[in-house]
DNA sequence: ACGTAGTAGTTGCAGACGCATCGATATAGA
DNA sequence: TCTATATCGATGCGTCTGCAACTACTACGT
């Protein structure tokens, strides 16, 4: 025991806090987005990531990174969203292995409809987390990390 | 747009950062724990939560909260670990609906064997995250939240 | 005592995930 | 040029998950 073990314990505690906060937010978002818009959190995340590229497209692998998903899961996720007409696959000419994905008008529309739900639930979840002593400091840190407007 | 929208955007950005960091750590832990000890992250989390109760037991619902899992997933998770002889179910007398779970000797042994892997990978993942500009501040905040020794 | 909620845990079911593998394309070296 | 290696995305397979429905039990109001 000593300084070395303290560091290990601090990391473990931090990770537990992070996981707990993530789980809380993720669960509530999952329920609300599913109920109100038929979207899962990863699906929303992908649509949101695409929209933030603003007119540009993303490759499957970038999408996988953005959503912290395996490439196989990404394939199927994109297929699901494509089947629903929310995005399109575009073969790219310069690298014929690559596949770009792009939001459709319907995709943008659904995303904009879901965003208020997302933002509201996120706010509620963070407020709820702030009431839990173990999570409160991390919530505060989350706000503080943003550039001061 | 204005102050109100800024708050929304700050929250969204914070959540994306949190999710990204969680995904990074979770993925690496998952791979290492599975490969070296045949444990998933939630399984490790449950064993760890039980051990930190130190001789005491936890009810299914507490376990579900600790692991951010649904009660059905918890049932099956406990069944898996019980089948492997890592913990035991104990019917409790005062509330006959309740079921306590308790680590077995084998469970404690596996947990102690897995802990070094867990701690090492966690340290590596955090170090890796620190190299990513978007994640670095949150990593720092994670350490700062701990009580100063 | 009794019926009504409310809570704890389990199970059927359908959906989503990761790993390993594979075909197709790109890149580098002899 | 031709082969070796690496990368990109898709697919088979087994596993895990949440929701909804169910049983068993407790607690409350009359």
């Amino acid at each position: 025991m000593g300084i070395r073990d303290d560091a290990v314990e601090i990391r473990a505690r931090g990770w537990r806090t992070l996981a707990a906060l993530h789980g809380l937010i993720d669960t509530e978002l999952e329920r609300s987005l599913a109920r109100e818009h038929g979207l899962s959190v990863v699906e929303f995340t992908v649509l949101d990531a695409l929209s933030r590229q603003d007119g540009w497209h993303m490759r499957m692998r970038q999408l996988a990174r953005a959503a912290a998903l395996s490439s196989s899961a990404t394939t199927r996720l994109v297929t699901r969203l494509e089947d629903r007409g929310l995005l399109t696959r575009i073969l790219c000419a310069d690298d014929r292995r690559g596949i770009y994905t792009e939001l459709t008008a319907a995709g943008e529309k659904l995303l904009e409809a879901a965003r208020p739900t997302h933002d509201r639930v996120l706010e509620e979840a963070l407020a709820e987390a702030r009431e839990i002593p173990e999570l409160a400091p991390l919530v505060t840190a989350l706000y503080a990390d943003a550039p001061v407007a």
Side-chain angles (χ1 to χ4, degrees), chain A residues 18-31:
Chain A
L18 178 69
L21 180 57
H22 179 274
L24 175 74
I25 298 172
D26 188 66
T27 301
E28 301 204 6
L29 277 180
E30 202 78 56
R31 260 202 284 267

Side-chain angles (χ1 to χ4, degrees), chain A residues 108-119:
Chain A
E108 284 184 38
K109 191 175 167 189
L110 178 57
L111 177 61
E112 293 314 317
R115 223 186 272 280
T117 298
H118 178 270
D119 296 342

